[in-house]
Amino acid sequence: MSIIICPGIHELALTESFISGWSSLFTDSSIGKKTLDMVVFPCEGFLALSSLHILQFLRDRLRDKLGSPVVFISFSAGVVGAIMAAWQWQLLGGHVKAFIAIDGWGMPLWGNFPIHRLSHDYFTHWSSALLGGGHNNFYAEPSVDHLSMWRSPQTVQGWWVDPSVDVSQTPVRLSAAEFLHSLVKRYDEK
C-alpha cells in the first residue's frame, strides 16, 4: 500500500514536520514488519490545486503499481487537486483504499472509496460535513490554527467522531496523529 501525501500551499518545512510528527507513531510494531511507502507530491504554489500534475506524478512514481492500493492524505488547498486525482486514478484502473482530507474546508468530497476529514475546530468539522466526508472524522478541541494541523499533528488534541453510529456513543479523545495512525493501520490490514 502506498500513501500519497498532497500538501497545500505553504512552506516545504511544514510537510516535513507533518511527516516527522505523524510517522513517528509507526516506529512500534503496529504495522508489523512492513514499511510504509510514502510518496510526497512535490508541489510548488498553486500546483497543489492541479489534479493533472498530481496524476502525472503518480503515474511516474507508481507506474508498475496501478493495481496496488493507495491512501491519499491531503491538506488544505491540496485537497482540491488530490480528490480529483483520486477519481482519475480510479478511472485509470487504480485502487483508492481511502481519502483523508486535513482541513479541506469548503471542498465537496464524494467518491466510491472511504473519505475521512480532520478539522482544526468544531465549526469547520460541522460545516464541512455538509459537503460530504463519510465516517470516522476528527476535529480539534481545543481548536488550533489551520497550519497546526499539518505542522504538528502529534500535538493537536481532539475527538474521533463517527456520524454513522448512534449519537449517544461517546467520541474518542486522541491526537490528530493518533487518529491518522489508526486509519492507516486499519487500511493496511484490509
Side-chain angles (χ1 to χ4, degrees):
M1 181 175 83
S2 296
I3 298 172
I4 313 304
I5 309 279
C6 297
I9 302 171
H10 51 72
E11 304 156 7
L12 177 62
L14 293 179
T15 299
E16 292 168 357
S17 181
F18 168 77
I19 292 169
S20 174
W22 167 63
S23 64
S24 66
L25 294 176
F26 290 103
T27 59
D28 64 16
S29 61
S30 62
I31 299 288
K33 301 288 183 201
K34 296 184 242 177
T35 58
L36 293 175
D37 178 20
M38 241 184 279
V39 179
V40 181
F41 175 60
C43 67
E44 294 180 26
F46 291 101
L47 287 183
L49 301 166
S50 174
S51 64
L52 295 177
H53 285 88
I54 296 170
L55 185 64
Q56 184 59 49
F57 174 75
L58 289 176
R59 293 182 77 183
D60 291 346
R61 291 296 298 268
L62 304 176
R63 69 181 69 152
D64 62 342
K65 299 180 184 176
L66 190 61
S68 176
V70 297
V71 171
F72 282 83
I73 298 176
S74 56
F75 173 67
S76 192
V79 173
V80 176
I83 191 68
M84 292 186 290
W87 295 334
Q88 293 165 333
W89 186 249
Q90 276 196 323
L91 289 173
L92 291 173
H95 178 204
V96 177
K97 240 182 173 180
F99 187 89
I100 301 168
I102 301 174
D103 255 4
W105 187 77
M107 183 63 194
L109 297 179
W110 287 285
N112 61 351
F113 39 80
I115 295 174
H116 308 278
R117 286 188 187 263
L118 285 81
S119 302
H120 75 278
D121 64 12
Y122 181 77
F123 175 77
T124 303
H125 162 73
W126 172 83
S127 58
S128 294
L130 300 173
L131 298 172
H135 310 296
N136 293 307
N137 299 311
F138 173 92
Y139 68 89
E141 187 180 82
S143 62
V144 296
D145 67 276
H146 173 67
L147 291 177
S148 290
M149 290 293 291
W150 196 246
R151 177 180 41 246
S152 49
Q154 71 279 13
T155 66
V156 175
Q157 294 295 308
W159 298 103
W160 177 340
V161 294
D162 186 351
S164 70
V165 298
D166 184 356
V167 293
S168 65
Q169 183 175 346
T170 307
V172 177
R173 184 134 180 99
L174 70 173
S175 74
E178 290 167 331
F179 176 76
L180 282 169
H181 178 265
S182 296
L183 288 178
V184 171
K185 182 179 175 186
R186 176 189 315 161
Y187 289 115
D188 191 51
E189 291 172 349
K190 287 184 177 181

